[in-house]
Structure formats: structure tokens, C-alpha cells
Amino acid sequence: MEKIIRMAHGAGGQMMNELIREIFATPLDNPHLRQLADSSVITLDLQTCNLQTCNLATYKPQLAISTDSFTVRPLFFPGGDIGSLAVHGTVNDVAMSGARPLWLTAGFILEEGLEIEVLERVVRSMAEAAREAGVQVVAGDTKVVEQGHGDGIYINTAGVGVVREGIAIGPDRAQPGDVILVSGTLGDHGIAVLSQREGLTFETELLSDSAPLNGLIETLLDAAPHTHCLRDPTRGGLAAALNELAGTSGVGIEIEESAVPVRPAVAAACEMLGFDPLTVANEGKLVAFVPPAEAEAALAALKQHPLGREAARIGTVTGEHTGMVLGRTGIGGRRVIDMPLGELLPRIC
Amino acid sequence: MEKIIRMAHGAGGQMMNELIREIFATPLDNPHLRQLADSSVITLDLQTCNLQTCNLATYKPQLAISTDSFTVRPLFFPGGDIGSLAVHGTVNDVAMSGARPLWLTAGFILEEGLEIEVLERVVRSMAEAAREAGVQVVAGDTKVVEQGHGDGIYINTAGVGVVREGIAIGPDRAQPGDVILVSGTLGDHGIAVLSQREGLTFETELLSDSAPLNGLIETLLDAAPHTHCLRDPTRGGLAAALNELAGTSGVGIEIEESAVPVRPAVAAACEMLGFDPLTVANEGKLVAFVPPAEAEAALAALKQHPLGREAARIGTVTGEHTGMVLGRTGIGGRRVIDMPLGELLPRIC
């Protein structure tokens, strides 16, 4: 087999088949992918999906569908790589609807000249991440573009899941009085990728928080089934997530800035680089809006999960200053936390 | 609003939101996309999907899931563009499982500096193609890469559909005796894109055949419900499709080459350029393997549909020369139709 990707690997013939067989088929193997059909046919058997509270005879299942492309640079960074990130990102988007992610598709755009060994590492990492998250990659596609028209590997994943019965989560469902929780420290992913890209080193090694949040969400929803909103603060960070939820729900948000957990190394890097940690991307954190009656239980549930140990209550939803996010600063003042404009940290996911 | 794409349009903040609102939201609008959630939640109500023979109380629905990335160059070509192609390609992949395509996701990778007017045209074309095919774009994503790391626009679409009850189509189901039908002329898409890219002109204008085949397949399956295989001969053309089906089903295939419909202009272009029309891509054609008892009805059904007027019976499946595709040539000889190696026509889809 060739050692680098050539245009022919994307042209639908023998070389593409060989690439699929040798690089993709074994690590990602499952009965659906094995069909090698134009599309995978999957029986929606909610019993075998372990969604046993769903009874098809009385219940219309709800699907959650999502997509995300990944263009992160560099391909490998402390705590992850484009392969695991592409699984986590879409698993998390599906899970944020209160759904159990079940199936992913994966579309690769490869740049001519890419070392096949690099692709192999990325696919193995994807397979490992999918196993950990309990999802199957059921359909795939590979395209090759000429050298200078890509950047090694771009990956798109789309995800399909089934929503838990009795759950009604949406960006328009925040209510005044809701307690706002985050599942851990903010800004780790963005600063880890940036430091790798720019060759910055810190005393403490910074790792991306990239992780699948579906298990954490199941734990949370067991404890707080009336959770109103869930969001993963990726691009644009917590600031973007909160502004979107405030706008869509038509509510105000108040944050106690000192309550927002940020690692000292991330805080120091942000200070040095002039970033606000609230606008830096996360790939393994969630923000939850929970009615006050369930807030204690929700926070306790998050903290008992390995991915939520540093969860914290950071603020509340109010009926005032609709559409605005206010932060109470350490010295008792208040500032408006704006939607970031967006140009600070490109290509971190 | 800006006139060209900047890195900030992909960075999760205000500029990205503006882009989504102004360019994507209106043309692609539907209740699912309007949720603006991390994933779209869709109630799987087979009654409203008009799949009335499916009764959820007694029937476990089957989903068909597929993905395809589009890197065609140039973005606009005679008979289509990357937007309509991205809809047709995935609609067709889902339909090839005997499923009704219902929902698409769309992931855009944009190159910094792209004119926003170009993106607008592509999105409008996508919306128009989705309407024509009867599918909704329910989730989307936009990333921006630096100038020189993309090629204007790359699009990934993933598709989800629901399989018709009583249908069992798969690449492993070909049977000796099956009649092989194609739905029309071959090679139109590949030659149309290539001629546009290379500035070739022909006496007759050559148009891509890019089209949604879900309607044609419903017509076909009404007439021939025991159809064994369906495939759209895209990259690698009919030669790749037949070789894959012969290999997966463990059967032999015999084609009457003179029966394969090819437009004179395509035949002439292939002659000139040294291509075999059987290896050139199509984006609006299907090949069907139908049991002999249903073959007449299937061919008649194809021919009565606007997208199947030039359908033809081109060969049969045999129990001999397993895994091989043989072509009977005009002068009575036979040749092996090989899987193309693949490097002839890159980036035609």
C-alpha cells in the first residue's frame, strides 16, 4: 500500500476501496458499517437501545440530529486529536438535546500528500472515542483534494440519537429562577490547542478537556429530569452559550464571575494573551439551567461523575435585562458579558 | 454585512450568528432548523411522513443513514452546482436503500476570502434542491479555514430516511437471473464538470444529470417491490458500481455494451479524452437488479418517469465468473470490465 494520500484515493475506484478496507474498516467495524451500502439501514429497536421506558406501541420516538465539521490545527494536541474531537463534538451536540447518541457518520476531506500513517492514527483515535462514548460510526465518505487545497484532514461527523422519554430540553425553555451550573473548569480546550499551535509552554501542562458528555448528562437527568437547557460551550465559550440561551429564551442571566471554575494555568495564559476565559472554547463541559427545586440534586449528581468533579453553581436566570448576560465581578461591580465578536481563536475545533 | 468570508465568520461569535441568520436561515427555513439547538429534535411520526403502511404499534421502523462530502471543482457547472449536488448526492444514497429521505444535515467548510454572494447562490440552490426532493435541512455547521487551505466551499451532507415496509435491498442480495437496468444515459455528470473545468466546448451543450432519484425509486419499487439491488453509479461510474455489487453478492455480471445508453456528445468526448464512459461519474442515474418476473414492469415504470425516460435493460446476473463483470462488445467479443483504478477524474463530486 502507498505511504501517502494521492488524488486516486478519492476517485471511487480500486485505490479508494483499498484505503477504506485497510484504514477505516477494521478499527471502525460494526454490522451497519459492514453493509458497505450507499446508506446504512438500521432497525430502530428502542429495547436494544436500552431505552426501555420507551414503548413503541404508545410512544412516538424523537430523534436528535446534529452535524459538526472539524478543522482543528494542529491535528494532534495535548489531550486529544481531530479524530477523538470529531466524535466528542457531535456526541455532545446530540446529548445536549437530552438524547442518547447512537450513530455517527464520518466524512473525511484529505489533502493529497497526507501521510497514511497520520490518517491511521486519527481513525484509531476516532474508533476508541466512539467505543468509549457507546456510539457506532455507521456511514463514511472520503474525498481527496489537491495539495494546497486542504490542511491534512478535515472531518465532518453527523450524529443521530433517540431522546429520553419525558425530557423537554431546548434553548427557548430557560425560566426566571433557574439555577445555572457548569460541569467543570472553563477554557482548557482552547488554551491547550493554542499553546500547542503557537509553541507556548506553561509550568503546568495544559490538556484539552475533550470528552463525551452523554454519560454525564444521563446522570444529570436522572437527578434533575426537569432540566430546561443544556449547552456545551464550544466555539465562543461560555459567553456565547449564555448569550444565545438568554436571547432565545427571552430571559436575563446573572453570573457570579468568581464562582466560574478556571484552572490557574488557563487564567494565567488568558491574562498573558489578553483573552477572557469566558470566551474560550471547551470540548468536554456543559452548562445546565435547572429549576431551583432540582438544583442541589443536579449539582451533587454532576460532582459524583468523573467528568463533573469540579462542577459549580455559577448564577441564575432572571426576568430582568432580557437577552443580556451580566457578570458580578470580584469587587462587587457588574459588567455586561457580550457575545464575542469571534476572531480571537480560529480553528480550535 | 461583510462582502467576503473572514476567519471570524467561523469562530462562534456575533459574526457567525449574523452569517447564519442572513445567509442560511431564510432559504433553508423549517421548524427543525429554527430550533437553533445543538441538535434538532424530530418526532418520528411515520403517519405524517406519509409512510402509512408503517404502523408503529406492530412495526419497528428502519432508518437509512448516509453521508457524503462534496469538493467539486468548479463550484458551478452546466446543469448544477455544489449546493444542488450536495443535496442530490445524499438524497440518492439514502434512497438507494429503498428509504424515503426525510432529513439532511449540512456542514460547510468555507475558505477565507470567499465572496458571500457566491455562498448565497450555493445555499439558495441547496434550498431549492431540498424542496424539490422533499427533504428538510435540519442541522448545520460552518467552519472557516485560512486562504490557501480550502477551495471556496466544501459541503458535507448527511441524510436520514425511513425504509419502506417490505423492502429488502442490499449490495449482497443480487441473484443469478436478475435483470440489470439503468435509468438513463451514462457519463453526463463527469464530462459536463470536466469540460467546464478544462474549458472544453462541444457542439451540443453537455449538462450534468444531477437530480434527486427518490421519486424515481418510489415509482420503481411500486412496480418491482422485490428489487434486489439499487446503486447510483457516481465516482467510478457504472464499472465501479457493478464490480462492487458482483463482489459483495458473490455473483457474475454480464453487460451488453451496445445496450448501455450514452449520449453521442459524451461518447465523442470520452473517445477524444481516452475515457471509458462506463467509468465516468453520474449524479442522477441508478442501476437496479430486478428479479426476471418483475423486470418488464420495472423498465416500464422507469420509462414513464421524467428522470427515467431513457432507461434500458443492459445485462444480467449469472452464477458464473463470480465477482467479475464481463462486457459483450459490438463485434461479439467479450472483455473484462475492471474496477477503475481511480485517478482519471478527480473532484467531480
Side-chain angles (χ1 to χ4, degrees):
Chain A
M1 174 137 186
E2 304 268 342
K3 285 205 171 0
I4 61 165
I5 290 291
R6 302 184 183 283
M7 292 305 293
H9 283 119
Q14 236 168 280
M15 283 182 67
M16 192 174 86
N17 281 14
E18 214 175 279
L19 182 77
I20 291 172
R21 231 178 19 244
E22 303 204 359
I23 308 298
F24 294 103
T26 306
L28 297 172
D29 183 58
N30 65 63
H32 304 302
L33 196 62
R34 222 174 293 144
Q35 295 172 20
L36 290 177
D38 285 316
S39 55
S40 261
V41 172
I42 298 173
T43 300
L44 186 61
D45 184 340
L46 297 181
Q47 246 81 54
T48 63
C49 298
N50 290 322
L51 290 157
Q52 284 156 354
T53 55
C54 300
N55 177 356
L56 265 180
T58 60
Y59 176 71
K60 285 178 182 158
Q62 288 192 306
L63 300 179
I65 302 181
S66 183
T67 189
D68 216 336
S69 300
F70 297 85
T71 62
V72 65
R73 207 161 49 85
L75 298 176
F76 301 88
F77 49 81
D81 57 67
I82 193 171
S84 54
L85 188 64
V87 170
H88 297 155
T90 292
V91 159
N92 293 349
D93 280 345
V94 170
M96 294 302 146
S97 298
R100 179 175 298 213
L102 295 168
W103 307 294
L104 295 186
T105 64
F108 290 81
I109 297 177
L110 307 177
E111 187 183 10
E112 183 185 21
L114 173 73
E115 287 172 49
I116 288 194
E117 187 265 329
V118 170
L119 179 62
E120 262 186 306
R121 278 173 64 197
V122 166
V123 173
R124 278 199 305 264
S125 166
M126 244 182 133
E128 180 54 39
R131 248 189 309 276
E132 192 196 340
V135 297
Q136 293 177 321
V137 176
V138 298
D141 180 61
T142 305
K143 294 289 187 303
V144 180
V145 294
E146 297 86 355
Q147 215 148 23
H149 289 282
D151 208 353
I153 305 179
Y154 297 145
I155 304 179
N156 174 283
T157 49
V160 179
V162 178
V163 180
R164 277 168 68 127
E165 199 174 2
I167 294 294
I169 288 169
D172 57 346
R173 294 183 51 80
Q175 298 289 328
D178 280 355
V179 173
I180 302 176
L181 308 171
V182 295
S183 63
T185 56
L186 293 183
D188 302 11
H189 176 73
I191 297 298
V193 172
L194 186 78
S195 62
Q196 175 78 6
R197 192 194 301 166
E198 309 296 339
L200 307 176
T201 48
F202 303 101
E203 269 180 45
T204 335
E205 195 194 14
L206 270 177
L207 296 181
S208 164
D209 60 350
S210 182
L213 296 173
N214 46 339
L216 182 66
I217 290 175
E218 300 221 354
T219 304
L220 171 69
L221 294 181
D222 286 343
H226 298 97
T227 295
H228 288 140
C229 304
L230 283 176
R231 189 147 283 205
D232 53 341
T234 55
R235 281 183 292 178
L238 184 69
L242 293 181
N243 272 284
E244 282 166 18
L245 294 174
T248 309
S249 289
V251 296
I253 286 178
E254 274 194 34
I255 294 298
E256 190 72 57
E257 294 210 35
S258 61
V260 176
V262 178
R263 274 182 217 294
V266 170
C270 283
E271 181 93 27
M272 192 177 82
L273 300 162
F275 293 156
D276 179 347
L278 299 190
T279 67
V280 177
N282 312 277
E283 292 289 346
K285 296 294 158 30
L286 61 84
V287 52
F289 288 19
V290 180
E294 294 179 355
E296 289 274 327
L299 184 58
L302 289 175
K303 279 173 173 284
Q304 73 165 47
H305 191 282
L307 293 174
R309 272 197 217 105
E310 293 167 281
R313 173 180 179 141
I314 61 164
T316 49
V317 176
T318 82
E320 291 157 46
H321 53 82
T322 301
M324 270 175 74
V325 181
L326 294 184
R328 260 202 299 268
T329 57
I331 48 164
R334 296 210 301 182
R335 64 155 180 154
V336 174
I337 298 174
D338 262 332
M339 187 74 172
L341 198 63
E343 70 273 36
L344 288 178
L345 282 172
R347 300 203 42 197
I348 39 75
C349 61
Chain B
M1 173 135 188
E2 304 268 340
K3 285 205 169 3
I4 62 165
I5 290 291
R6 301 183 184 285
M7 292 306 291
H9 283 119
Q14 237 169 279
M15 284 182 66
M16 193 175 84
N17 281 14
E18 214 175 280
L19 182 76
I20 290 171
R21 234 180 15 248
E22 302 203 0
I23 308 298
F24 294 103
T26 307
L28 297 172
D29 184 58
N30 64 64
H32 304 303
L33 195 61
R34 224 175 290 145
Q35 296 172 20
L36 289 176
D38 285 317
S39 55
S40 262
V41 172
I42 297 173
T43 301
L44 187 62
D45 184 341
L46 298 181
Q47 246 81 54
T48 63
C49 297
N50 290 322
L51 290 157
Q52 286 156 352
T53 54
C54 299
N55 178 357
L56 265 180
T58 60
Y59 176 70
K60 286 181 183 157
Q62 288 192 307
L63 300 179
I65 301 182
S66 183
T67 189
D68 216 335
S69 299
F70 297 85
T71 61
V72 64
R73 207 161 46 86
L75 298 175
F76 301 89
F77 48 82
D81 57 67
I82 192 170
S84 54
L85 188 64
V87 170
H88 296 155
T90 292
V91 160
N92 293 349
D93 280 345
V94 170
M96 294 302 146
S97 298
R100 179 176 298 211
L102 295 168
W103 308 296
L104 295 186
T105 65
F108 290 82
I109 297 177
L110 307 178
E111 187 184 10
E112 183 186 22
L114 173 73
E115 288 173 49
I116 289 195
E117 186 266 329
V118 170
L119 178 62
E120 264 186 304
R121 278 172 65 196
V122 166
V123 174
R124 279 201 304 266
S125 166
M126 246 182 131
E128 180 55 39
R131 248 189 309 276
E132 192 195 341
V135 296
Q136 292 177 321
V137 177
V138 297
D141 179 62
T142 305
K143 293 290 187 303
V144 179
V145 295
E146 296 87 355
Q147 215 148 23
H149 289 282
D151 209 352
I153 305 178
Y154 297 144
I155 304 178
N156 174 283
T157 49
V160 178
V162 178
V163 180
R164 279 168 67 127
E165 199 175 0
I167 293 295
I169 288 170
D172 57 346
R173 294 183 50 81
Q175 299 289 329
D178 280 354
V179 173
I180 302 176
L181 308 172
V182 294
S183 64
T185 56
L186 293 183
D188 300 12
H189 176 73
I191 297 297
V193 172
L194 185 79
S195 62
Q196 175 78 5
R197 191 194 302 166
E198 308 296 340
L200 307 175
T201 49
F202 303 102
E203 269 180 45
T204 335
E205 195 193 15
L206 269 178
L207 295 181
S208 164
D209 60 351
S210 183
L213 296 174
N214 46 339
L216 182 66
I217 290 175
E218 299 221 356
T219 305
L220 171 68
L221 294 180
D222 285 343
H226 297 96
T227 295
H228 288 140
C229 304
L230 283 177
R231 190 146 280 206
D232 54 340
T234 56
R235 281 182 292 177
L238 184 69
L242 293 180
N243 271 284
E244 281 166 18
L245 294 174
T248 309
S249 290
V251 296
I253 287 178
E254 275 195 33
I255 293 299
E256 190 72 58
E257 294 209 36
S258 61
V260 177
V262 179
R263 276 184 216 294
V266 171
C270 283
E271 180 94 28
M272 193 177 82
L273 300 163
F275 292 155
D276 179 347
L278 299 191
T279 67
V280 177
N282 312 277
E283 292 289 346
K285 297 292 157 35
L286 62 83
V287 52
F289 288 19
V290 180
E294 294 179 355
E296 289 273 327
L299 184 58
L302 289 175
K303 278 173 174 283
Q304 74 165 45
H305 191 281
L307 293 173
R309 273 198 216 103
E310 293 167 281
R313 174 181 179 140
I314 62 163
T316 49
V317 176
T318 81
E320 292 158 44
H321 54 83
T322 300
M324 270 175 74
V325 181
L326 294 184
R328 261 203 298 268
T329 57
I331 48 166
R334 297 210 300 182
R335 65 154 179 155
V336 174
I337 299 174
D338 262 330
M339 187 73 171
L341 198 63
E343 70 273 36
L344 288 179
L345 283 173
R347 304 214 25 207
I348 39 76
C349 62

